[in-house]
Amino acid sequence: MKHLITNRSFVLLMMSDLLQNVGIWIRNMALLYFIMEKSGNSPVAVSLLTVIQYAPIFIFSIIGGVLADRWRPKRTMLWGDILSFLSILLVLFVVMAGYWQAVFGVTLISAVVSQFSQPSSMKIIKRCLPDEQVPAATALSQTMMSLFIIAGPIVGTTIYQTFGLEASLLSLLAVFGVSAILISFIPSSIDDSTGVEASSDSSFMKELREGFSYIRTSQLIKTMLVVYVILALGSGLIQPLDIFVITERLHLDMTSVQWFTALEGFGMLIGGVIAAIIAGKLKGSVLLFSGLAFLGISTFVEVLSIWPGLTGTMRFLTGLLLAMAQTALMAVMIRQVDEKFVGRLNGLMTPVFTAMLLIGSGSTGMFMASTSIVVVYFTAGILFLLASVVSLRLPFSVEPASSMQGVAKEA
């Protein structure tokens, strides 16, 4: 951990990511409440907001991944913050003029920009840290994300309820402005990597085909995609049913769901801290298999439990081990995927995961109606156990995946 704290590029990147997480929650909560108020609690308006948040993932993710591999990562993230800042400034003026529908615009622009910034952030981590420090770095990043799962909704809600939408937008201007300043202080040497940037005469479509060829011939990536697909499908099945576990199995008021979500968030927070401490001391395959296997078992226990204490304990332990598993999986991707293809891989995995999550969520209502909540949860639990078994086939090593050396040389 000491090496991470003294690494200037990594510290600046994490501070920027911290601000980005703050901004995301302020934006999400403010826009949700504002649209609910202005539309008269219209489900159409709320669903439109959801579509705007998800649609760019499918449309721009792979494009953003290819371009992130072509562009310099520091410059890409810097322009992402600048464009986010300008878009929010524009929306603030339009909203003050009385056109509240413009808030949909900030969501769309922010969601599009993030498809370019996220893979660039991964490339910076890969460039500024040696391989042995990557697990601790991803664990620290996971810990930060978990912290905002707990505190983010509270911060976003407090700012909106206390000061209103305009104050929320002004705070977003400050967040993206400071984030851009932090990114600008990352050493320019991060953008200099011999042989990594695409040549100017390399076409977009050629690089897209090379990315798919790399993925198709890499056992590591194909196995990782299978794990992601199974995990996302299982998560999608149970995600909308949390409220029914609370009300039907535990016979508690539906508002109690927030406390169980907080317990899972605390588990993820502690799991991220533990992963950061033991990174490099415990095999990534052990972390990943243990986390996914326990997720399957805890899913069985959670739906059978009629005791809030037991259910809460399962939520906490699930969050803890899942954070460690996610840390291991992310470390594998950053360490073992050829840097030339990090953006394209991220651009493919993000929409695949989101699509399977939405498929699971979309089908779980009919599935539960025709069976029972116990059957749905047991199905998800079996999928998680299957993902844990498949994860054993991941070739954990310290060497980058090299099954496409020919492609890498041509890029």
Side-chain angles (χ1 to χ4, degrees), residues 139-151 261-277 315-316 318-324 326-327:
L140 190 60
S141 177
Q142 177 65 51
T143 301
M144 198 163 56
M145 290 177 62
S146 303
L147 180 62
F148 279 94
I149 289 176
I150 302 169
T261 302
L263 278 172
E264 186 172 357
F266 277 117
M268 294 180 70
L269 177 62
I270 295 174
V273 173
I274 293 174
I277 294 173
R315 284 290 184 90
F316 174 80
T318 296
L320 188 148
L321 285 171
L322 193 56
M324 297 172 72
Q326 289 173 339
T327 296

Side-chain angles (χ1 to χ4, degrees), residues 377-392:
Y377 265 72
F378 265 65
T379 302
I382 292 171
L383 287 172
F384 295 144
L385 290 176
L386 178 60
S388 71
V389 174
V390 174
S391 73
L392 294 175

